[in-house]
Amino acid sequence: MPEISFVVPMLNEADQIRGCLGRLQAWRALGDEVIVADGGSDDASVAIATPLCDALTVSAPGRALQMNQGAARASGNMIAFLHADTHIGAGAREEILAARDTWTFFDVRFDDERWPFQVIAWFMNTRSRISKVATGDQVICVSRALFLAAGGYPDIPIMEDVALSKKLRRDSQPRWSAAQVRTSARRWRCKGLVRTIVLMWVLRFAFFAGVSPERLVRFYR
């Protein structure tokens, strides 16, 4: 039985998935498993991913649905939900295993070292440590028993990571990790730095104020 099961959701990630899964081969060599949860990609993603993972699930698109499908195939004591554009080093393995009875997530830094992205990362990390609410970029790692007890990811089209964190923190306090993960700044570059910051804060505030995820995802798109 593997200690850690990585669940990697993807949808048309042909440009990213080879590098992501390639980096996880070191974890597979240690006995961990990698499960790719595809949301119906129509590019080369599935063909690229298949030889680099232990299992591949296919479902309708939707990150919560995909990650729940992947988690259902997981056999590890810990499940780590990893985005295709996020890099987690093998040195984080001890941090994940140390949280085997609870859950953890990581501080994030961007692959763009310019100062605005350093500031954004600092605010993201500080907010998460205070609120005990993580985003998907921070690689949520949770014991399989705790994940199942929480009912998995809520079936909502947006803010699924925030909703899961709120459920997990009710029953178990996260273990703080000293490790960092590196994630892509492509969303910020594509949509614009200021626009993305404003958008994410508006979405987060509206979600906590009770606006339905269905309305939020229409606004986001």
Side-chain angles (χ1 to χ4, degrees):
M1 181 180 294
E3 291 279 2
I4 303 168
S5 296
F6 282 95
V7 174
V8 183
M10 75 173 183
L11 179 61
N12 295 331
E13 290 283 6
D15 292 338
Q16 297 281 343
I17 198 64
R18 189 188 306 276
C20 173
L21 298 182
R23 292 186 292 268
L24 290 178
Q25 299 312 299
W27 298 72
R28 293 180 76 195
L30 294 172
D32 300 320
E33 70 176 355
V34 176
I35 300 166
V36 174
D38 185 62
S41 296
D42 56 12
D43 64 0
S45 296
V46 171
I48 294 170
T50 299
L52 296 173
C53 66
D54 298 288
L56 189 145
T57 66
V58 179
S59 69
R63 188 162 278 169
L65 173 62
Q66 291 171 233
M67 292 190 291
N68 283 337
Q69 292 271 351
R73 293 288 300 272
S75 55
N77 295 318
M78 293 291 293
I79 305 176
F81 297 96
L82 176 69
H83 289 184
D85 61 357
T86 299
H87 176 201
I88 182 170
R93 191 171 190 269
E94 291 185 5
E95 298 285 345
I96 297 175
L97 295 179
R100 67 178 71 247
D101 296 320
T102 180
W103 62 295
T104 189
F105 53 87
F106 299 91
D107 281 350
V108 69
R109 63 185 178 91
F110 290 103
D111 59 2
D112 191 321
E113 297 293 339
R114 289 178 292 175
W115 70 265
F117 294 99
Q118 295 183 36
V119 172
I120 293 169
W122 183 87
F123 275 105
M124 287 176 61
N125 297 333
T126 302
R127 181 200 65 216
S128 294
R129 287 181 176 272
I130 293 173
S131 66
K132 301 173 185 176
V133 171
T135 65
D137 294 331
Q138 293 174 283
V139 191
I140 296 175
C141 307
V142 56
S143 75
R144 187 152 58 101
L146 184 59
F147 181 75
L148 293 175
Y153 278 94
D155 187 15
I156 55 179
I158 196 170
M159 294 291 175
E160 70 284 343
D161 296 306
V162 172
L164 176 65
S165 296
K166 292 173 67 177
K167 292 168 67 174
L168 293 175
R169 74 181 183 184
R170 286 200 297 264
D171 298 322
S172 179
Q173 295 300 299
R175 183 184 185 277
W176 303 126
S177 170
Q180 280 190 335
V181 297
R182 188 179 75 246
T183 193
S184 173
R186 59 180 176 168
R187 177 179 60 188
W188 308 82
R189 289 191 292 259
C190 178
K191 295 180 178 294
L193 194 62
V194 175
R195 182 174 181 269
T196 303
I197 292 172
V198 173
L199 175 63
M200 299 313 295
W201 277 103
V202 168
L203 289 172
R204 185 175 292 271
F205 177 80
F207 181 72
F208 278 97
V211 179
S212 73
E214 289 72 23
R215 290 184 62 188
L216 291 180
V217 75
R218 290 197 297 270
F219 176 73
Y220 176 77
R221 290 171 179 168

